[in-house]
Amino acid sequence: MSEVQPPTQEQLDAYIRTRLALAGFDLALLPEQPNPETGVPTRNQVLASLRSFVASTPGAIAGWSPAGQTPAYAQQASPPLLYPSITEAWTGKAGER
């Protein structure tokens, strides 16, 4: 298989702008020039910060899996719980953490 190429800066910017638009955030509301009185980040500062986050963190999060002999077993052995404290109280495993 071929190696997956990391996205370019333009692709990351397009992805970030799209996600922000879907969330209802208008990047155009941020100033273009820094304002020391308000401390509001500029558009370029926000894009640079989000670009750094998107390029690094989601890959680390997506690569995590619970402990287990196989990925399928790990999924079954560690199902996500909506209310873990209640489940632990019912099963008596609240003190095993």
Side-chain angles (χ1 to χ4, degrees):
M1 288 183 82
S2 64
E3 187 71 25
V4 176
Q5 298 298 317
T8 64
Q9 183 171 340
E10 291 79 20
Q11 290 170 329
L12 285 174
D13 286 350
Y15 173 76
I16 291 166
R17 289 178 189 276
T18 302
R19 293 298 302 244
L20 289 175
L22 289 172
F25 182 80
D26 186 6
L27 197 59
L29 296 175
L30 294 175
E32 291 184 23
Q33 301 298 321
N35 184 345
E37 292 179 16
T38 63
V40 175
T42 65
R43 293 176 200 165
N44 290 336
Q45 289 172 327
V46 169
L47 274 175
S49 177
L50 290 173
R51 196 180 308 120
S52 172
F53 172 80
V54 169
S56 62
T57 306
I61 294 171
W64 180 85
S65 66
Q69 290 100 358
T70 66
Y73 177 76
Q75 292 283 330
Q76 293 177 5
S78 303
L81 300 172
L82 289 176
Y83 304 101
S85 60
I86 296 171
T87 304
E88 290 174 354
W90 288 342
T91 59
K93 296 181 181 180
E96 291 182 8
R97 283 187 172 219

